[in-house]
Amino acid sequence: MLHIVWSQVARRRGRSLAVVAAIVVAAVSFSLLTSAVASSRLEVKGKVTANFRSAYDILVRPPHSITPLERSDRLVQENYLSGIFGGITMQQYHLIKQLSGVQVAAPIAMVGYTLPVVNLRYAINKYVDPTRSQQLLRVDFRWTSDRGLTHTHDATRYFFVTKEPLHHGQALRDPVTGHQIQVTSAFDTLDTNRTSAFQNPPNLIPFSTTRPGRLAQNYGLKPGQIGSNYLYQMPLMIAAVDPKAEAELVGLKQAVTSGRYLTERDHITHTVVHGNGGRTSLTYRQVPMLMSGRLTSDEHMTTVVSTVDTGIPDDQLPGRLAAKDGPRWVTHLPFHVVHRTRHPGNQVYRQLLRTYSRSKSVQYSAQYWSAGQVDYRRGADGHLQPRPRTNNRFTWTDSTSGFFAPPEAGDIGFRKLIVAEASNQISPGNVYYAPEPQVVGQFDPHRIEGFSKLSQVPLTTYYPPAAAPADPRAARLLHGQSLLPNNNLAGYLQQPPLLLTNLRSLPAFYDSQAFTPLTNGEMRGYPTAWKAPISVIRVRVAGVTGADDASRERVRLVAEQIARRTGLDVDITIGTSPTPQLIDLPAGNAGRPAMTLREGWVKKGVAVQLLSAIDTKSLLLFGLVLLVCALFLLNAVTAAVRSRTAELGILSCLGWSSRRIFWLLEIELLVTGLVAGLVGTAIAMALVGIFDLHVAWQQLLLITPVAVLLAGVAGLAPTRRASRAVPMQAIQPAVRAPRRALAVTSVTRLGLVGVSRTPGRSLLAAASLFIGVAALAGLLAIQQEFSQHVVGTLLGNVVAIQVRGVDLLAVALVLGLGAFTIADVAYLNISERRAEIGTLRATGWTEHHVQRLFATEALVIAAVGAVAGALLGVTATGVLLHADVLILGRAAGLAASAGRLAAVVALVVPLVRLGHLAPAGLLHD
């Protein structure tokens, strides 16, 4: 029997080589592909695991603090902490801190924005004309922010400079009548509370060059100087932390650059300031604070000095200024700019930092404000659109200084502002209760312990949010830089806390003796924060080592305990990843145009979703590759057995039993599988060396037994059917008349008839391509649906890049095997119908007609398999994933087109061979 086996293998070299090739492709491809998928999966798991854990594992927030956008899309804005003020009690914090499994519980209590002022003094002596008896100078204060796009005019001051002595600081004697002229009388009646606009009205400051001393002293100038001072307002966010927990969680202690670190033992102290020659004193309460050494905004103020052309004689100027329409007249006079002084925000911030660091400074906080969260809607293009909102003007009034707001507060706002106003109560012991920051040290946010950029959670306790330009127009407007926060407390971007105190000092801000909660009938305090001052708690769980099941279970159990014991909102933050979002920012009221920005947001649960998706895709790839390989082998073995039908019938007539014929065919296939396995092992080893694949040697050694097993299993059905055939029917099959005669009027119609002549072979070929196209359609739909959820996140993008190569390899293999099966069917049809082809050529058919006939048969099979496979692939994906209809339709179209294209490419070889066959030789055969 072995002699017959070898003779058959040698005599039918073409078909034997085809079977060997099929087994080699199947065994090597399956082995290397599954290895590549497994390796890629390990790399993905390694990447996900390496970036699985961020600064903290669990985020605890007050109830109902989750935004609608977070609830629907799992998206969290970078600076979301600035919108949460209180809601968690100290008792709840201590309970969480003591729970089993909690390694670190780091609270943040967002107090609000304080609005300190820096006194900037300026002198204008050098611009005074000594030859004139009386003259007018102008000084403007202009703010610029948003990378130079927002321009705000704060105030205009006019300086009346005279050589005549001033009486009572402001009155000037009229040389004609001898009466005194109150030059500032018309300006004194103007509204100084700015109730109609976020801008100071013009005012007039008289100076006498003969007696400037007392007035200069009032403005803090040197004797003889002419000028004034400007109160530069600078909003600073205050937050309270647990210094020990913060040092352990993010390494805040290592970020201290000067002074000392804040401790939990630091407490409120009292500073006594003496006045009135030491006869009276006032005690201020100082709060220990750690202050950032960096300002996170880009605004600056410019002082513009100008000379004014009055157009009238100098001696008439005092009377004109004192007239009822004096302010209106002055503001319309032409002027000429003679000097500009730029005051960068960082420079003024350093001056404030020095002031706060002095032990006897008095810079108390008369008010502080909270800024709520931004409300968004999703545009038709998928961009986020923040909704503007207007705050009541009484938000900026207080009982002592009237209307007091930063100039940029008049710009467009996006946040609800709530103010807590100092009650101005002074105890019988002359204690002023409003807190005063006392800086004990400075820290650099850039020195805080960093975490992976792929799994970073919003650490806005220290890092400023930034919105980068998203298109060329925005890049041009912003000069290629990111938009930063400015002094608008209700603006879109908010500064992180620049002043950090400890939890022990929180009562200074929630003391009813220091701040009054109700003014003008509007809630302006923090009744919730007074009782529950903590905004969020970040929790790190003990024993978490990575993305393994045990670590994830530990985090889940701790999160469940916190939610059950406290009733607070609990988020598991492991596996988060930054997810940039496009923001359509509307135009401002002070010059900044509308623009599209790219802002860093965070998506929750990306790593867990990635691991689940990678596991599912790996399992799907293994099953599909194995199934298509089996179909390919089945077709090859069926063709080999079919070509020997007559020979097997002769052996049966000679007395061979069906069992002996069965083993003859099986042994031939097993020998072929052995040869194919040895060849495949050699090829696989070569590929491993060339492409430096990480494949275990045990897996390479399995190629040969797998090839033998595949060959034997694939041949069971066709060899069993061939061994049971009736001898005479095997030698000369009976000719059956068709049930219904069809009129063949075209080459295409004849091709359809040819497909129906061998329905089993046609269905097998269609099934091979069907599986390949279904796999492609399903994977395309899964990939696009998968992309909507995780690609776009930084971690998702990295993983998508890693898995895309092996996915394409798997799809190419599956489609290639299916297309090659159709080409093999076409080759078999050509080989078995040589006489028919010769007859057609002899009767006048051209080579083109014959090629078209067999191409039609193959393409009909391909079309059936491609369309059916595409429909099945997207239908199954739609049912399992509830994918979008547009995604499914696009995936089906691409998969069906790719399947037919692969079939066309594979048909080139058999059709070219068909053209080389001579008609005479075909008839002779």
Side-chain angles (χ1 to χ4, degrees):
M1 184 179 292
L2 290 178
H3 177 72
I4 298 176
V5 168
W6 284 113
S7 65
Q8 290 296 326
V9 171
R11 189 168 64 87
R12 301 178 180 273
R13 291 189 297 272
R15 182 45 49 181
S16 298
L17 288 176
V19 175
V20 169
I23 297 175
V24 167
V25 170
V28 174
S29 300
F30 180 73
S31 177
L32 293 183
L33 180 62
T34 52
S35 175
V37 171
S39 298
S40 177
R41 181 174 179 274
L42 289 176
E43 291 177 10
V44 170
K45 270 203 165 183
K47 179 66 69 174
V48 172
T49 302
N51 299 282
F52 188 70
R53 199 178 192 190
S54 52
Y56 45 91
D57 304 318
I58 298 172
L59 181 65
V60 184
R61 287 181 285 178
H64 314 299
S65 59
I66 298 177
T67 64
L69 190 63
E70 180 182 357
R71 187 173 290 107
S72 61
D73 296 353
R74 303 197 312 278
L75 287 172
V76 180
Q77 193 175 15
E78 267 193 344
N79 59 342
Y80 76 97
L81 286 181
S82 64
I84 303 177
F85 290 84
I88 302 176
T89 65
M90 295 296 294
Q91 291 79 6
Q92 289 172 323
Y93 162 57
H94 290 300
L95 175 61
I96 293 172
K97 192 175 179 180
Q98 296 169 2
L99 287 177
S100 175
V102 173
Q103 181 180 352
V104 181
I108 303 176
M110 306 297 289
V111 176
Y113 285 97
T114 182
L115 196 61
V117 295
V118 178
N119 195 353
L120 301 180
R121 300 176 178 87
Y122 58 93
I124 58 174
N125 295 63
K126 64 174 69 176
Y127 311 111
V128 175
D129 186 352
T131 64
R132 298 180 59 180
S133 61
Q134 303 183 61
Q135 58 189 293
L136 203 61
L137 296 176
R138 168 175 173 154
V139 178
D140 292 280
F141 304 94
R142 300 171 181 172
W143 287 77
T144 303
S145 61
D146 295 338
R147 302 301 184 186
L149 297 176
T150 296
H151 301 275
T152 307
H153 182 244
D154 181 30
T156 299
R157 293 177 182 173
Y158 291 92
F159 290 84
F160 170 69
V161 183
T162 178
K163 291 183 178 181
E164 300 294 329
L166 293 172
H167 301 276
H168 306 291
Q170 294 181 341
L172 182 70
R173 185 179 63 85
D174 189 334
V176 178
T177 64
H179 298 154
Q180 289 187 355
I181 300 176
Q182 195 78 13
V183 293
T184 63
S185 58
F187 290 87
D188 291 341
T189 61
L190 297 177
D191 181 12
T192 58
N193 285 340
R194 289 181 288 173
T195 56
S196 59
F198 289 82
Q199 179 180 340
N200 275 315
N203 66 327
L204 180 66
I205 302 175
F207 262 93
S208 172
T209 57
T210 58
R211 296 180 183 177
R214 178 174 296 180
L215 192 57
Q217 183 179 3
N218 291 341
Y219 291 116
L221 301 174
K222 296 179 181 179
Q225 285 187 327
I226 298 174
S228 183
N229 62 350
Y230 178 79
L231 299 182
Y232 190 117
Q233 296 171 287
M234 181 172 292
L236 301 178
M237 173 67 81
I238 301 175
V241 298
D242 182 331
K244 182 179 179 180
E246 211 66 22
E248 189 174 353
L249 186 71
V250 295
L252 180 60
K253 187 174 184 179
Q254 284 69 37
V256 174
T257 57
S258 64
R260 65 173 178 83
Y261 184 59
L262 192 69
T263 69
E264 58 271 17
R265 295 185 301 275
D266 287 327
H267 59 278
I268 302 170
T269 59
H270 295 78
T271 298
V272 179
V273 178
H274 299 281
N276 194 17
R279 291 190 297 272
T280 61
S281 63
L282 189 63
T283 301
Y284 292 89
R285 299 200 302 177
Q286 290 188 322
V287 178
M289 291 192 176
L290 195 65
M291 189 169 183
S292 172
R294 297 173 181 262
L295 185 65
T296 57
S297 59
D298 71 333
E299 81 282 348
H300 66 270
M301 189 271 289
T302 303
T303 304
V304 182
V305 183
S306 306
T307 57
V308 181
D309 184 8
T310 62
I312 61 175
D314 290 349
D315 59 353
Q316 297 180 14
L317 183 57
R320 192 70 186 87
L321 292 174
K324 186 176 181 180
D325 65 341
R328 176 181 175 83
W329 172 74
V330 166
T331 55
H332 288 82
L333 290 176
F335 58 91
H336 176 66
V337 176
V338 294
H339 183 72
R340 298 176 187 269
T341 303
R342 190 172 184 270
H343 304 275
N346 280 300
Q347 180 180 346
V348 181
Y349 180 77
R350 287 192 292 270
Q351 183 176 337
L352 178 66
L353 185 58
R354 290 192 296 270
T355 301
Y356 274 160
S357 299
R358 296 170 186 162
S359 59
K360 295 296 182 180
S361 66
V362 178
Q363 288 283 329
Y364 60 86
S365 302
Q367 294 170 300
Y368 61 94
W369 292 261
S370 69
Q373 296 177 331
V374 178
D375 184 23
Y376 293 91
R377 68 181 183 90
R378 182 80 70 174
D381 55 2
H383 297 183
L384 295 179
Q385 299 172 352
R387 297 177 184 269
R389 67 179 305 160
T390 303
N391 288 285
N392 194 309
R393 64 184 179 88
F394 289 110
T395 302
W396 298 105
T397 59
D398 64 51
S399 58
T400 57
S401 56
F403 197 75
F404 192 71
E408 291 165 315
D411 199 358
I412 186 173
F414 300 92
R415 302 172 185 272
K416 172 68 176 177
L417 293 180
I418 302 176
V419 62
E421 180 186 347
S423 62
N424 293 317
Q425 294 182 1
I426 299 178
S427 70
N430 288 334
V431 177
Y432 190 83
Y433 281 95
E436 174 198 351
Q438 178 60 48
V439 173
V440 299
Q442 299 178 32
F443 72 97
D444 185 353
H446 294 276
R447 293 191 179 185
I448 292 175
E449 182 178 342
F451 296 89
S452 169
K453 293 182 179 180
L454 303 182
S455 60
Q456 183 176 329
V457 288
L459 285 174
T460 47
T461 311
Y462 313 104
Y463 298 129
D471 53 34
R473 175 180 172 274
R476 183 175 64 257
L477 290 172
L478 296 174
H479 309 289
Q481 299 175 299
S482 294
L483 194 69
L484 292 177
N486 57 21
N487 284 349
N488 184 7
L489 271 63
Y492 179 69
L493 296 177
Q494 295 288 284
Q495 296 185 23
L498 300 179
L499 290 168
L500 300 176
T501 187
N502 58 8
L503 298 178
R504 187 176 182 181
S505 302
L506 274 177
F509 298 96
Y510 303 129
D511 193 332
S512 60
Q513 290 182 293
F515 295 94
T516 178
L518 288 173
T519 302
N520 297 330
E522 181 182 346
M523 181 62 66
R524 304 177 64 202
Y526 303 86
T528 300
W530 290 352
K531 299 177 182 179
I534 297 175
S535 303
V536 298
I537 301 175
R538 298 152 298 159
V539 177
R540 180 180 292 174
V541 178
V544 176
T545 58
D548 56 283
D549 294 338
S551 295
R552 289 157 62 180
E553 184 65 14
R554 289 190 183 97
V555 174
R556 186 188 65 81
L557 290 175
V558 172
E560 285 185 355
Q561 284 189 72
I562 295 174
R564 186 174 62 254
R565 300 284 296 276
T566 65
L568 300 171
D569 285 343
V570 179
D571 275 323
I572 296 177
T573 58
I574 54 173
T576 59
S577 181
T579 308
Q581 296 293 307
L582 296 180
I583 311 295
D584 287 336
L585 191 66
N589 300 331
R592 178 182 52 75
M595 63 181 70
T596 301
L597 303 171
R598 178 177 289 104
E599 190 178 12
W601 286 50
V602 173
K603 193 158 193 173
K604 300 185 297 184
V606 171
V608 175
Q609 188 176 1
L610 280 170
L611 291 175
S612 300
I614 295 302
D615 290 342
T616 303
K617 287 172 67 176
S618 299
L619 181 61
L620 179 62
L621 284 173
F622 292 164
L624 290 178
V625 171
L626 182 61
L627 180 58
V628 174
C629 288
L631 288 176
F632 182 78
L633 280 175
L634 179 61
N635 181 74
V637 174
T638 301
V641 173
R642 181 183 176 89
S643 64
R644 299 175 57 188
T645 302
E647 174 190 332
L648 296 177
I650 294 174
L651 291 177
S652 180
C653 291
L654 294 176
W656 282 52
S657 65
S658 59
R659 183 175 181 181
R660 190 176 183 188
I661 294 175
F662 171 80
W663 280 111
L664 172 66
L665 297 176
E666 272 295 309
I667 291 174
E668 289 182 14
L669 290 175
L670 293 175
V671 170
T672 305
L674 177 62
V675 174
L678 295 175
V679 173
T681 301
I683 294 175
M685 289 182 176
L687 292 176
V688 168
I690 294 173
F691 295 104
D692 193 24
L693 300 176
H694 301 285
V695 182
W697 62 269
Q698 295 93 335
Q699 190 165 0
L700 293 177
L701 294 179
L702 284 175
I703 291 179
T704 299
V706 167
V708 174
L709 181 62
L710 282 174
V713 172
L716 287 176
T719 55
R720 186 177 182 82
R721 185 172 58 252
S723 64
R724 293 184 176 182
V726 178
M728 292 306 299
Q729 289 184 356
I731 296 174
Q732 188 168 356
V735 178
R736 294 179 300 174
R739 295 180 180 178
R740 181 181 177 184
L742 298 175
V744 179
T745 58
S746 64
V747 176
T748 302
R749 190 66 178 269
L750 183 59
L752 293 175
V753 173
V755 172
S756 63
R757 289 168 60 182
T758 53
R761 179 185 298 175
S762 300
L763 288 175
L764 183 61
S768 299
L769 192 63
F770 168 86
I771 296 298
V773 173
L776 177 58
L779 288 175
L780 287 176
I782 290 172
Q783 185 69 27
Q784 292 183 50
E785 182 71 15
F786 178 71
S787 298
Q788 284 194 345
H789 295 291
V790 298
V791 174
T793 68
L794 298 188
L795 182 58
N797 287 339
V798 170
V799 171
I801 291 172
Q802 288 186 359
V803 301
R804 192 170 295 132
V806 71
D807 286 347
L808 291 176
L809 178 61
V811 169
L813 174 63
V814 172
L815 269 183
L817 290 172
F820 192 60
T821 302
I822 291 180
D824 190 45
V825 168
Y827 178 84
L828 290 173
N829 287 340
I830 292 172
S831 299
E832 294 179 358
R833 294 159 60 184
R834 292 166 64 91
E836 176 185 335
I837 296 171
T839 302
L840 293 175
R841 293 287 298 275
T843 56
W845 279 47
T846 64
E847 176 184 336
H848 171 72
H849 287 119
V850 176
Q851 289 179 333
R852 181 182 166 187
L853 171 63
F854 286 94
T856 299
E857 294 179 4
L859 292 178
V860 167
I861 297 173
V864 173
V867 173
L871 292 176
L872 176 66
V874 297
T875 300
T877 305
V879 171
L880 293 175
L881 300 182
H882 305 287
D884 185 79
V885 175
L886 292 178
I887 290 178
L888 297 176
R890 189 163 53 246
L894 289 174
S897 300
R900 295 202 63 180
L901 179 61
V904 169
V905 173
L907 284 173
V908 171
V909 174
L911 293 181
V912 169
R913 180 179 181 276
L914 175 60
H916 294 164
L917 298 177
L922 293 170
L923 291 173
H924 176 72
D925 291 342

